[in-house]
Amino acid sequence: MDDVTSKHLPTPARAPLDAAAAEAALPVWDLSDLYAGPDDPRLAADLARTEEEARAFEARLSGRLAGLAGDTLAKAIADYEAMWERLGRVTSYAGLLFSGDAQDAANGRFYQTTQERVTTISSHLLFFTLELNRLEDHALESKIGGSAALGRWRPWLRDLRVFRPHQLSDEAEKLLHEKEVAGRSAWVRLFDETIATMKVKVGEEQLTVSAALNRLSERDRAKREAAAKGVSEAFGDRVRLFSLITNVLAKDKEIEDQWRHYPRPGSYRNRSNMVEDEVVDALVGAVCQSFPRLSHRYYAMKAKWLGLEKLQHWDRNAPLPDEDDRLVPWPEAVERVLASYAAFSPDLSAIGRRFFDKPWIDAALRPGKASGAFAHPTVPSAHPYLLLNYHGKSRDVMTLAHELGHGVHQILAGAQGYLMSSTPLTLAETASVFGEMLTFRAVLDAETDPRRRRALLAGKVEDMLNTVVRQIAFYRFETLLHDERRKGEIAHERIAELWMQVQVESLGPAFEFTPDYGVYWAYIPHFVHTPFYVYAYAFGDCLVNALYGVYRDGSVKDFQAKYLEMLRAGGTLRHRELLAPFGLNAADPAFWTKGLDVISGFIDELEREPRDDVPERTDA
């Protein structure tokens, strides 16, 4: 199979670019494809219509599903989907508006009020899935066998019934559902608003959390240290609040897990990801066993390259001596990513370009905006939106490639409809990480300067370590924290100890961690928003390493077409079925080792290359 060559990429300009120019004309999304504003009459009408339909749906069908014929039940599922799609449009709009500016109190009130209204409406729909799960397997199969219309919904029914053993009584389920807005969701909102309104003092500057964290990749070590200490101080001042949020949410999860008889804290997430606990254990075990040959080995080399006896936590993402720290203008980043996609599949690139031709991306930097990046699918009748904080660095280009992969995946899967378009988190990361890999390989293959090529390779290793090693360390931290929370409330000092324990284990002896790093767990949003999400990144990275290897060696005919079909499947197929056309099996323990071997191979290549430019050791 032909490699991606430089002809597919724009010629990079080597002129320096100042920060103001890098941030100029960054896109801001336009949410009017959902609603014109919080007071849009269409939004109020959608809520009113859905509430009326939901009440009628409950009155007509509650307690009667067992007696419905297959075609009638299929029509009921279609009606249920239509109502949820309308509610999904409303909640997507409120959530995106809040993410765009959480400092605006009106956005927070609108977000909370919307959640409360949708919860009230959807309480009339709750009976439907509970009652479906009370049907015996043979009775449901009999209905499906007699109705082609109902057979279309088999994947959704299959995934719904995964939670059958953990279902509570209708009354208990309704109580948990209605209390969500005043319970877990309220604590999540408190976390989000706290982060969004925080200021980090770095020298004489007052920065947002996102801007301060971005300083940790500055070339000047003194600037990195100042930013790191500013972050430590800002979160340290609020550590009791973040500890309270963490303790409350962990206890809330423990209570519900015990009622639902989940064997351990991560089991619900694994069920949601349609993956067995044992498969996750195999992944985590393989990564932990590989810490020495991956992160420990790489960071020992990085310390030498930086001329340091020991790395501090603010050196983890430091640029390497060879690294090109030129800021990449947004238009160049866009074309670089789209060209990389096009070299793989013109169809993939064409879908991706729609995000830039239309106002579907918010990449601008501003106070109150959510930190990090995400792709929100909204609903199939609309389109996804991407949020980034684009600082113009090479990692930001890879983040763009990553989130665009999500967006393209969400568009392709949208044909499956609201209920079956969403993929488990483990598979949701496939297209994003694959998009990153396409962009990286295109840039690497186009680079002819050995020093810059080596820097690109080292940067990719760091990204992969952040995706695999660091996320599994996060998963280990969550596991330790939730296990310990079951013995009682955890003091913030103990949370810091657990955090430092996994950092030492995962990053290795090249680091000398200062005590102030003990509070850095507090800014990780996944711990609050989606407990035990983080291993999905490692799952996706190792899966993509194996998948991309198949693509590069040309062993699978029509790989691109099969890849697009995999994305179009949405949530209708499990990982075994999706990977079978590529000759891969994630249930095979050797599968994970094969993915980790790719990272180790990159490190091998870096070790083999002589470096005559290593600076003398310095702590400056």
Side-chain angles (χ1 to χ4, degrees), residues 1 3 546-556 559:
M1 184 166 294
D3 289 342
L547 193 64
Y548 193 80
V550 172
Y551 163 57
R552 294 278 285 193
D553 67 26
S555 59
V556 172
F559 181 97

Side-chain angles (χ1 to χ4, degrees), residues 25 80 142 145 148 157-158 237 243 247 326 363 373 377 387 389 404 409 443 495 499 538-539 559 567 576 587 605:
Y80 174 85
S142 176
L157 292 166
R158 172 203 65 197
D237 288 345
S243 297
N247 271 284
R326 179 185 65 90
L387 179 143
N389 286 274
L404 188 64
H409 190 181
V443 173
I495 299 177
W499 173 258
F539 193 110
F559 181 97
L567 301 188
R576 294 173 189 267
E605 187 174 341

Side-chain angles (χ1 to χ4, degrees), residues 172-191:
E173 292 286 359
K174 189 170 185 179
L175 176 64
L176 289 173
H177 180 73
E178 293 186 358
K179 281 181 65 65
E180 171 75 9
V181 293
R184 174 180 167 73
S185 292
W187 288 95
V188 172
R189 177 188 171 189
L190 175 61
F191 173 86

